[in-house]
Amino acid sequence: NFFTRYDYEGCETGPCQTMMDNLQTFVDNKENIGKEYSVSGTKYTISEADNFSYTDPIDGSKASKQGIRIMFSDGSRLVFRLSGTGSSGATVRMYVDSYCSDQTAVTRSAGEMLAPVVTLGLEISQLAQL
């Protein structure tokens, strides 16, 4: 797997919250499952989308709304999280990972291998417009 994380710090809280609300609407719309995108000649099909919840295996406590996840049929995944929504601005984190079974490509940089999925994440989230 290739993985990277982008942190967008010191952003205005309002637009960031709007972006997260829009992403929640996106994952709630089950018509997006099966939706296809094409980036740099590669097709990406949404296979699942949700707002991640976590149940602690020790005490059973549940943490909800831990991040918007968008998964693709090729094993690629995007996760968006919003934090630090205090008076000094917000931080948006975009996590990107993708599986590569091509043994000739596994020595390439994460930046190169993940560039199409990063582009897709920016398109779906509209993060660049913040």
Side-chain angles (χ1 to χ4, degrees), residues 96-114:
V96 183
D97 66 277
S98 187
Y99 174 74
C100 177
S101 62
D102 180 357
Q103 292 301 309
T104 65
V106 296
T107 58
R108 295 183 185 161
S109 73
E112 177 185 359
M113 295 300 291
L114 294 171

Side-chain angles (χ1 to χ4, degrees), residues 7-54:
D7 292 345
Y8 301 90
E9 298 176 326
C11 301
E12 290 185 42
T13 302
C16 292
Q17 187 59 58
T18 298
M19 180 199 75
M20 293 302 292
D21 292 344
N22 291 342
L23 284 169
Q24 183 65 58
T25 299
F26 183 88
V27 302
D28 288 344
N29 182 353
K30 296 309 173 192
E31 291 181 12
N32 286 318
I33 304 302
K35 187 172 183 176
E36 294 181 357
Y37 293 87
S38 181
V39 180
S40 301
T42 302
K43 184 175 79 169
Y44 295 91
T45 305
I46 296 177
S47 58
E48 296 178 65
D50 64 12
N51 195 329
F52 178 67
S53 295
Y54 174 77

